[in-house]
Amino acid sequence: MPVSTCLRLLLIPLLIAAIIVPAFAQNEWEIAPEGDQALERGLAWLAKTQGPQGNWDSNDLGLVSLGALAFLSAGHMPGRGPYGDHVDRALKYVVKNAKPSGLLNIADAQRDLYNHGLAAFVLGQAYGMTDDPQIGKTLEKSLKIIANTQCDDGGWDYRAKRQSHGHDLSLSVMQAKALRSAVDSGFEVRNDVIKLALQSVREHYKADNGARGLEERAKEGGGKFTYDGNRTTVAMAACGVVCLQEFGQYDDWRIPKNLDYLAKEIARLTPVKGSGEVPFDAYTLYYVGQALYQSGGNSWRTNYPVLRDYLIESQFRKSENPNEEGSWRDTRWVHGKPGLLYGTAVGCFILAIPNRYLPILQEGKIEGLLDKTAIETGRAKN
């Protein structure tokens, strides 16, 4: 029996229940006609610029996967409907270029686990929507890479190799999403991997009073998740929340402290009409949107419309370059056409969240995640 099969048998009733009763019912305030129109323009830009190989002229499997995610999040399935061919080509490009080891990176080795985590997350969502055996086979191998490259402190490095210390929280969140995505699609994730990752995530928390990680004094007053134990950013605050939520730690006291910080930063946002700029930058927006959605309640109700309306206002419209029409661009990390792919894919994903087409957006809380979705098998060997 494949390693995924036994867990899938246990999870099917749980996941069906979660899909029938979503985490949140769609609310009127989430939807704006202008947002739907902006989403359609963004998808049209992705479709017309994709190219025959399906990769937007990029060898970055993480970015190509995000292009596929944009279509999936808007309900477009491989081989079906107006964008069926586009999402199919993007997913096939990722699967075709997976290395024999299971590593999802063909770019610079310094991007090993960035691209791997992003791509594995998207493949998990695609498999949950399609049950495609080729995607499932690639995904299963990718999970072994994540487990086998986890560092001794629970984090991960940029390069796909195990060592004593992980590099930073930005890598942990990508692997966390990939692991949870696979669990949602019925794959096995080991308890020891999750427990060690959670410890690492919590150790990246820093209180305003200087206390860190698991110190009792860290509970006093405000605080934020950090990049490396010191540097606080909006992105890392969101990433810490996402990690805890993905691993079922819904009541962790660190979550509301970081949500408060995110709310203050979102309140500062001021869109520039037609600038093409996404809120914050594409990386930060990707995780901020998910942190808000997963937390729900007032954080989602108050802050999501701000992000949505920003994207509506800033989308490239009637620009001097007609090739930009309907797109957004990353404002910090990636430039040129890859930057437009990054910004547009994330912009579309954020606008499509209220549709709840993705498996990871349909679920309710899964209590006791470590016990219900993981099997203790001991640390894997290389």
Side-chain angles (χ1 to χ4, degrees):
M1 182 180 290
V3 295
S4 62
T5 304
C6 57
L7 186 60
R8 183 173 302 173
L9 295 175
L10 295 174
L11 280 178
I12 284 173
L14 181 65
L15 295 179
I16 289 175
I19 291 172
I20 292 174
V21 185
F24 320 106
Q26 192 179 68
N27 297 297
E28 233 177 80
W29 58 264
E30 293 177 317
I31 306 299
E34 298 86 355
D36 291 339
Q37 294 161 12
L39 172 58
E40 288 306 314
R41 288 191 292 266
L43 294 176
W45 183 89
L46 288 169
K48 75 180 181 182
T49 58
Q50 184 182 30
Q53 287 189 304
N55 67 332
W56 290 272
D57 300 324
S58 173
N59 69 344
D60 190 316
L61 298 187
L63 291 183
V64 176
S65 296
L66 286 176
L69 183 69
F71 292 114
L72 291 170
S73 63
H76 297 282
M77 302 284 282
R80 304 181 196 172
Y83 295 125
D85 180 58
H86 297 86
V87 66
D88 187 54
R89 275 186 285 148
L91 291 171
K92 283 182 176 176
Y93 182 85
V94 175
V95 170
K96 177 183 176 183
N97 284 283
K99 291 184 177 178
S101 66
L103 182 65
L104 299 171
N105 182 47
I106 56 174
D108 188 288
Q110 195 66 13
R111 293 190 59 79
D112 275 354
L113 286 183
Y114 259 20
N115 282 328
H116 187 85
L118 275 172
F121 164 67
V122 176
L123 291 183
Q125 295 301 286
Y127 184 73
M129 297 171 78
T130 66
D131 210 30
D132 183 304
Q134 285 300 111
I135 293 177
K137 182 179 178 181
T138 303
L139 177 61
E140 192 160 32
K141 293 178 74 174
S142 77
L143 296 178
K144 293 177 182 178
I145 290 284
I146 293 174
N148 291 342
T149 59
Q150 186 179 32
C151 298
D152 294 340
D153 67 351
W156 282 267
D157 188 58
Y158 287 88
R159 293 174 181 256
K161 61 180 181 179
R162 186 189 304 168
Q163 45 195 329
S164 58
H165 298 289
H167 195 277
D168 61 74
L169 187 58
S170 72
L171 292 155
S172 294
V173 70
M174 291 185 174
Q175 313 322 309
K177 288 201 63 62
L179 293 172
R180 182 58 187 266
S181 180
V183 164
D184 288 341
S185 296
F187 285 81
E188 174 186 329
V189 175
R190 296 190 344 245
N191 256 339
D192 61 316
V193 172
I194 294 178
K195 288 179 178 178
L196 198 57
L198 276 170
Q199 177 181 316
S200 175
V201 169
R202 288 177 170 135
E203 287 174 347
H204 280 80
Y205 180 83
K206 181 180 179 182
D208 294 343
N209 62 19
R212 299 169 186 272
L214 305 178
E215 295 179 48
E216 188 66 23
R217 200 163 60 89
K219 294 182 179 180
E220 300 171 5
K224 310 170 192 68
F225 283 105
T226 67
Y227 176 78
D228 54 4
N230 291 297
R231 287 179 282 170
T232 59
T233 67
V234 176
M236 292 305 102
C239 287
V241 171
V242 168
C243 284
L244 293 175
Q245 294 273 3
E246 297 296 21
F247 291 143
Q249 307 302 294
Y250 308 109
D251 298 323
D252 192 291
W253 55 266
R254 299 165 186 82
I255 290 176
K257 293 177 185 290
N258 282 273
L259 289 175
D260 287 346
Y261 172 56
L262 293 180
K264 291 175 183 176
E265 294 302 312
I266 290 170
R268 301 175 191 269
L269 292 173
T270 304
V272 177
K273 186 175 179 63
S275 66
E277 296 184 353
V278 294
F280 304 114
D281 56 77
Y283 180 94
T284 302
L285 175 63
Y286 179 68
Y287 289 111
V288 167
Q290 292 175 84
L292 297 175
Y293 177 80
Q294 291 170 340
S295 300
N298 190 58
S299 290
W300 174 246
R301 173 67 180 85
T302 302
N303 295 297
Y304 177 72
V306 178
L307 301 181
R308 179 199 65 207
D309 294 347
Y310 188 114
L311 288 167
I312 294 169
E313 185 75 9
S314 68
Q315 187 176 38
F316 275 129
R317 299 294 312 280
K318 300 178 181 178
S319 89
E320 295 178 1
N321 183 356
N323 292 327
E324 295 177 342
E325 174 71 18
S327 67
W328 293 272
R329 61 182 177 88
D330 182 33
T331 57
R332 185 174 185 184
W333 302 109
V334 186
H335 306 288
K337 185 176 179 180
L340 291 174
L341 167 60
Y342 197 9
T344 306
V346 172
C348 288
F349 169 67
I350 295 298
L351 291 174
I353 285 177
N355 294 325
R356 295 169 173 81
Y357 288 120
L358 297 175
I360 209 164
L361 301 178
Q362 295 172 350
E363 66 196 21
K365 291 183 177 180
I366 300 179
E367 302 299 343
L369 181 68
L370 298 184
D371 296 326
K372 290 182 178 179
T373 65
I375 298 173
E376 192 78 61
T377 61
R379 193 170 182 88
K381 297 180 180 178
N382 281 326

